[in-house]
Amino acid sequence: MSDLQATTAQDVVDVLTADHHEIEAIFVELENPQGTAEHRRRLADVLIAELVRHAVAEEMYVYPTARRALPDGDQLAEHEIAEHAAAERTLKELEPLDPSDARFEPLISHLAKSIRHHVREEESELFPRLRAAVAHEELVELADRVLAAKGHLPTRPHPGAPDHPPANRLINPGAGLVDRIRDSLSGRPTSRAELHDGQG
């Protein structure tokens, strides 16, 4: 790899920030009450899958790096994990609801507010500090791991699972597989590409 390639390679902050932009686009679409109830339900399914995969990837790869590299990394990681756990409880409430349910819109609004707060914290504090404290090569390697892992990470909320290794879902490779099988059998979309394919 040339020096130019090494300095321009996508790092884990780039990958996670792209996730944030994708999630924000879904929130914007959900907050605009246009489209059929079926499309809004499928869009909520994609939102849930994206948020769960993103959170699990951060818990597997980013927060352990923060714990090791930053003087207050344990405190930062615990704060972020607590926010993930709260969001996952909301996702579990949202998961079975039809958009006509009176709880659907308030849950979307609550989730959007909490996720936007979480994203602001990560992008203004955690991510810049990781880039300052961790070698670029390691951040690029973490990006590769996150991208590879997304193919088998869970896509459904499991809020009853413990938040920390070794007892949590993060080290249970079966959780993602079971979710993928359920998604396939039910026709549940887990990405915007699948959402649009399903409309065609």
Side-chain angles (χ1 to χ4, degrees):
M1 179 182 289
S2 71
D3 288 343
L4 179 61
Q5 287 173 315
T7 58
T8 59
Q10 188 177 42
D11 71 16
V12 72
V13 171
D14 296 321
V15 170
L16 297 176
T17 301
D19 283 357
H20 290 169
H21 293 164
E22 179 70 12
I23 289 163
E24 175 61 20
I26 297 169
F27 274 129
V28 168
E29 191 172 346
L30 277 169
E31 289 169 331
N32 179 3
Q34 300 297 316
T36 65
E38 179 185 3
H39 175 72
R40 290 175 57 72
R41 177 62 259 170
R42 290 170 60 82
L43 193 60
D45 288 337
V46 172
L47 177 69
I48 290 167
E50 291 284 1
L51 284 169
V52 170
R53 273 192 302 255
H54 179 84
V56 174
E58 287 186 329
E59 291 170 17
M60 288 177 71
Y61 298 109
V62 178
Y63 301 157
T65 302
R67 288 180 191 277
R68 178 181 48 76
L70 303 176
D72 57 345
D74 284 335
Q75 179 183 348
L76 277 171
E78 292 301 320
H79 174 75
E80 302 297 338
I81 289 169
E83 289 188 347
H84 282 183
E88 194 160 6
R89 288 190 293 273
T90 304
L91 292 174
K92 191 65 176 174
E93 286 183 64
L94 180 64
E95 189 176 31
L97 297 183
D98 187 87
S100 63
D101 191 295
R103 294 171 296 160
F104 187 87
E105 298 299 336
L107 282 172
I108 292 291
S109 295
H110 171 74
L111 190 61
K113 182 179 178 182
S114 63
I115 295 299
R116 286 169 175 151
H117 165 80
H118 181 76
V119 164
R120 278 192 305 273
E121 282 185 345
E122 285 190 336
E123 291 186 0
S124 66
E125 182 173 353
L126 177 61
F127 290 175
R129 291 183 63 200
L130 280 176
R131 277 188 167 154
V134 179
H136 178 72
E137 295 76 16
E138 182 178 346
L139 294 177
V140 169
E141 182 182 324
L142 285 173
D144 293 342
R145 288 183 182 179
V146 165
L147 290 169
K150 282 189 173 193
H152 60 80
L153 291 177
T155 60
R156 295 172 183 260
H158 300 276
D163 292 328
H164 295 85
N168 67 355
R169 69 184 184 278
L170 305 182
I171 61 165
N172 177 2
L177 177 61
V178 169
D179 286 353
R180 301 278 172 187
I181 292 170
R182 289 176 62 202
D183 295 338
S184 178
L185 290 174
S186 67
R188 176 182 182 256
T190 61
S191 70
R192 284 174 78 89
E194 291 174 19
L195 177 71
H196 296 302
D197 288 347
Q199 288 181 334

